Amino acid sequence: MTALQKDRKQGPATAPAAPAAPTKPALHRRTTRRHWWFTPWLYLLVPLTLLVAFTYLPIIDMFGYSATDWDGISPTSENVGADNYLELFTRPELFKVFLVSGVYLLASFVQIAAALYFATVLSFNTRFRNLFKGILFFPYLMNGVAIGFVFLYFFQPGGTLDSLLGTVGYHGRLMWLGDPDLVNKSLAGVSVWRYTGLNMVLFLGAIQSIPGHLYEAASLDGANRWQQFRHIIAPSIKPIISLSVILAISGSLAVFEIPYIMTGGANGSQTFVIQTVNLAFKFDKVGLASASAVVLLALILLVTWIQRRLVPEERVELS
Amino acid sequence: MIVASAIVLVPLLVVLLTSLKTDKEASTTGPLTPPGNWFNFGNYLTAFQEGRLVQALINTTIILVISTAGTVLIGSMTAYAIDRFEFRLKKLVMGLFLVATLVPGVTTQVATFQIVDDLGAFNTRWAAILLYLGTDIVSIYVFLQFIRSIPVSLDEAARLDGANSFTIYRRIILPMLKPAIATVVIIKGITVYNDFYIPFLYMPDAELGTVSTALFRFKGPFGAHWETISAGTVLVILPTFLVFLTLQRFIYSGFAAGSTK
């Protein structure tokens, strides 16, 4: 690179920088003068390549595949237009997976409510706080396959749950994972077990950043615990609650690991992602699977967009 | 609180009990019965030897070390470039990273698979490493937030001493980022250790099993041998538990930062 090139390339790079940062123009000018125009790109070369290769290229490809009947192996494929999307929306059994997501969504509301309750209790009660916090949070760190096995054993006929119910005198013969009406509730229960601790830690962090004098003032006014929760805690942690709700919605659309490990999607426990993975890698219907993934992506982006629009004025009342 | 703790602990303790039972005990006694001999570690031996857990631990360690170190390098370099330089298209670059956080990895697997396959990385450890490196945007954010708190005057002082941009990155930025590096290493380490679907989808070869997939394969050969499956499960959970005990405080703040961005 010659000195001339260097100067020429640097001209336009410096020009927009100065008005962008009016507070410290001198500093920026000095910074830019000391490096070549391509210096930042040297640092960005690898990250951007990876970003494009594993995030943007797949998205573009996915849209492309979704309009074909490609099986993932053969070199040729037919263009089928919107047929995959039509199939997706007209075959009821492909659409049923959304009902399953509904179960997980309901469970995640239970999870948020429980987390909120535990976080509040722990914020009032400091005895053994770290112990309880640790116990409830640990499942979140556990390996998903390990959790799957723990609960396969837990829900087994004659397993832990049945034995526990037996000790309190209940000897039902419920097939926790075998009954299509029950399986998703059992699996959603596992997800509550796994994620409540994370929500709780997030809420607890937010609650603990509330200045202590607010509580003092409230109790001087004779407010009880419930009133303190209703009027001090709930309003101050609203943003984190609404974020959790949004994460719960997109999370319940993308459930995969636990049901796949525990039941493989049998007995009506198939979720959207399990179905997509099976379509693509088991039944070699890459086109249809791509269409289904596009729908999922669109749904999740829609939820996120709604969140971005609502968040400052969000009114999520769980109390 | 006590009820909640019991709900968390009972399923885990039962698995611990079962892992210490003999073959016969496991099939004849109820799950809540304690084992006859508390020091029966035979199942652990079986899990280790026949469950390919040693190989899995080696594979996981290789993948974990490379992808964690890579994430730290990539994340800190991206943050350095974006925060410390003015350049054309900077807004576009930031936008690309921002939008990528909205796209959940599971949704694009169908197409990602073809790319990994085209690269010839399918069924090699590189598949997992590349994907862990390429799809981690949260850590870039952690670095970006942290790098803003490092005063620019430090860069300037070094620059006056004749340091070039790489020397500044290497000698000033990287050491100052230590707390952020710790956060990213913890989050990334635990996430990679626990991840199931990337190794499951991209490395089906039994030789390439990671901790997750090796444990998943216990399902077949050990079918109804819950004592062996339990031992494997306990072995997989144990490292996480030890890490949690030693690094508790960092873990809470790390995951809180990671999940809310």
Side-chain angles (χ1 to χ4, degrees), chain B residues 6 15 17 27 36 39 51 54 56 83 96 99 101 106 110 142 185 193 250:
Chain B
V15 167
L17 290 186
S27 49
F39 299 98
V54 179
D83 191 63
L96 282 177
V99 173
T101 58
V106 281
V110 182
V142 172
V185 166
Y193 180 82
F250 302 100

Side-chain angles (χ1 to χ4, degrees), chain A residues 30 43 56 141 143 156 261, chain B residues 96 156 194 212 219 226:
Chain A
R30 209 188 314 155
Y43 292 95
Y56 287 99
L141 300 178
N143 186 289
Q156 247 199 345
I261 291 162
Chain B
L96 282 177
E156 292 302 314
N194 286 340
S212 297
K219 241 182 160 177
W226 276 105

Side-chain angles (χ1 to χ4, degrees), chain A residues 264-276:
Chain A
N267 302 323
S269 62
Q270 180 133 304
T271 67
F272 202 103
V273 178
I274 295 182
Q275 177 176 280
T276 309

Side-chain angles (χ1 to χ4, degrees), chain B residues 93-122:
Chain B
V93 171
M94 282 183 76
L96 282 177
F97 280 109
L98 187 79
V99 173
T101 58
L102 305 177
V103 180
V106 281
T107 58
T108 50
Q109 283 321 310
V110 182
T112 311
F113 187 86
Q114 308 301 338
I115 290 173
V116 170
D117 200 22
D118 289 347
L119 289 174
F122 178 68

